[in-house]
Amino acid sequence: MNNEPTPDKPSETPPALPENIVSNPAPAQDAAKQQPLPDSNKAQHTNYKKKKDAPVELIKEPITLAVLIQQLLRSPLNVVHSLHRDAKVPWAPLLLFTIAAYALFGLILGMFSAGDQLWAAPVKVAGGILFASLICLPSLFIFTSLCRVETKFRVVIGVLICSICITALLLLGFIPILWLFSTTSSSIGFFGFLALATWIICLCIGLSFIRKSVKHLGATSTGPLELWFIIFGLVTLQMPTTLRPIIGKSEESFINFDEKKFFLYHWAQSLDPYSEEKIHDCSEERQKQEGSNQGDSNQGDSNQGDSNQGRNTEEEDDY
């Protein structure tokens, strides 16, 4: 029988790790995720959420022109909500500001040709936009009623004024760019295209405000309103053609109502330099032909008068 001592078996339990070494980092990461945010980060997160989902509310401070413009740029629906709740809005200063903004836009357009256009273009642009808004106001009220919006006529007037004011504010931002090309470029086609593109961009943003306002007032559908947008856009495009010229030089009267043109046909003629020469030559030939016909008719009348006078003289001699 072997009485030799057996060697000790190694312990199956692993040795204890030092206290500064974490055996399982997953619980530590979960604990880090569950830690509350610092006060500063929490405040920033709350403010961002409020700005993203900012509710429409009444304007609590006194509504001045500066406050009104600031609200139109940041929270335009607050103006509509306040107007719907019979808040006092300074419409007269806002209208004067809007007219001045459109006049400044017209001045930049008139600087392309200078001369009489420095005063004629601002008057035509500001007056044309106001007149277009005035003649489209009744149809706007009708189309908003078709969208099942129960509101007063003065609220619709206020929404339209705010819309053209937002468009004017956006045009003011493009004025430095337009001024650069109006003073350095000699291509009337390019500058006209640039001014037209600027107007369409700003007008679309201004009309989107009307869409949001109508939805805020309880519209169930904006389909009829989209049709009004097309009508108003066509009116604002036809108005400069009626009040032409605005960019080019004015060699005739202040406003030419004798020759009627559709704005697409007018643009095609403005982009084609030879079409104007052909039209000018045709008008000169027409005037010469009318003058020659009038001269022939006058000569015929004089010859007939001479023959009548000779006949009378012969009758007197016979008598």
Side-chain angles (χ1 to χ4, degrees), residues 9-315:
K9 294 181 179 181
S11 178
E12 294 179 359
T13 60
L17 295 174
E19 295 180 357
N20 58 352
I21 299 177
V22 180
S23 59
N24 189 7
Q29 293 178 0
D30 295 338
K33 290 181 180 179
Q34 295 177 0
Q35 288 181 358
L37 294 173
D39 294 338
S40 60
N41 295 339
K42 190 174 182 181
Q44 292 178 0
H45 181 73
T46 305
N47 292 335
Y48 173 75
K49 190 174 181 180
K50 287 182 179 180
K51 289 180 180 179
K52 187 177 180 180
D53 302 328
V56 179
E57 56 186 8
L58 289 172
I59 303 175
K60 299 178 181 179
E61 54 187 332
I63 303 178
T64 60
L65 179 61
V67 172
L68 190 57
I69 292 175
Q70 183 180 6
Q71 290 291 331
L72 287 176
L73 292 175
R74 295 183 178 180
S75 302
L77 290 181
N78 291 347
V79 180
V80 179
H81 188 65
S82 302
L83 179 62
H84 189 62
R85 296 297 181 89
D86 296 334
K88 294 183 179 180
V89 180
W91 294 120
L94 185 63
L95 276 175
L96 292 177
F97 174 81
T98 305
I99 293 172
Y102 282 116
L104 183 59
F105 175 69
L107 177 63
I108 299 300
L109 298 181
M111 290 178 65
F112 182 83
S113 299
D116 294 338
Q117 293 298 88
L118 292 177
W119 66 267
V123 174
K124 291 179 180 179
V125 171
I129 296 301
L130 292 179
F131 184 73
S133 303
L134 183 63
I135 63 177
C136 292
L137 178 60
S139 59
L140 176 61
F141 180 73
I142 294 173
F143 279 93
T144 52
S145 300
L146 293 177
C147 296
R148 298 182 181 180
V149 176
E150 296 180 359
T151 185
K152 299 178 181 178
F153 185 67
R154 64 176 186 84
V155 177
V156 177
I157 296 176
V159 170
L160 182 59
I161 293 175
C162 292
S163 175
I164 62 176
C165 182
I166 291 175
T167 306
L169 289 171
L170 295 173
L171 288 174
L172 290 178
F174 285 97
I175 277 180
I177 302 174
L178 294 174
W179 169 81
L180 175 64
F181 286 98
S182 66
T183 55
T184 59
S185 176
S186 59
S187 174
I188 189 172
F190 171 76
F191 185 71
F193 171 78
L194 182 63
L196 178 63
T198 303
W199 168 251
I200 292 177
I201 293 173
C202 297
L203 180 64
C204 291
I205 298 176
L207 294 179
S208 66
F209 165 76
I210 299 181
R211 183 187 297 108
K212 294 178 182 178
S213 301
V214 171
K215 288 182 179 179
H216 174 71
L217 294 174
T220 58
S221 175
T222 59
L225 196 62
E226 302 294 337
L227 180 60
W228 184 87
F229 291 161
I230 298 175
I231 296 173
F232 184 72
L234 291 175
V235 171
T236 57
L237 293 177
Q238 181 64 27
M239 192 61 63
T241 305
T242 306
L243 302 176
R244 67 185 185 277
I246 294 179
I247 297 178
K249 293 182 179 180
S250 178
E251 297 179 355
E252 299 177 355
S253 59
F254 177 71
I255 299 176
N256 185 15
F257 289 114
D258 297 333
E259 189 177 3
K260 300 178 181 180
K261 289 184 181 180
F262 185 55
F263 66 91
L264 292 177
Y265 179 71
H266 175 62
W267 292 349
Q269 287 183 347
S270 300
L271 293 176
D272 187 8
Y274 297 102
S275 61
E276 293 292 337
E277 295 179 1
K278 292 178 181 179
I279 294 174
H280 184 67
D281 294 339
C282 292
S283 62
E284 287 184 352
E285 291 180 358
R286 191 181 300 110
Q287 291 177 359
K288 290 180 180 179
Q289 185 176 3
E290 291 177 356
S292 61
N293 293 334
Q294 186 176 3
D296 294 339
S297 62
N298 293 333
Q299 186 176 1
D301 294 338
S302 62
N303 293 333
Q304 185 177 2
D306 294 339
S307 61
N308 293 333
Q309 186 177 4
R311 189 179 301 108
N312 294 332
T313 304
E314 291 177 355
E315 290 177 357

Side-chain angles (χ1 to χ4, degrees), residues 2-14:
N2 189 6
N3 296 327
E4 293 181 358
T6 58
D8 298 335
K9 294 181 179 181
S11 178
E12 294 179 359
T13 60

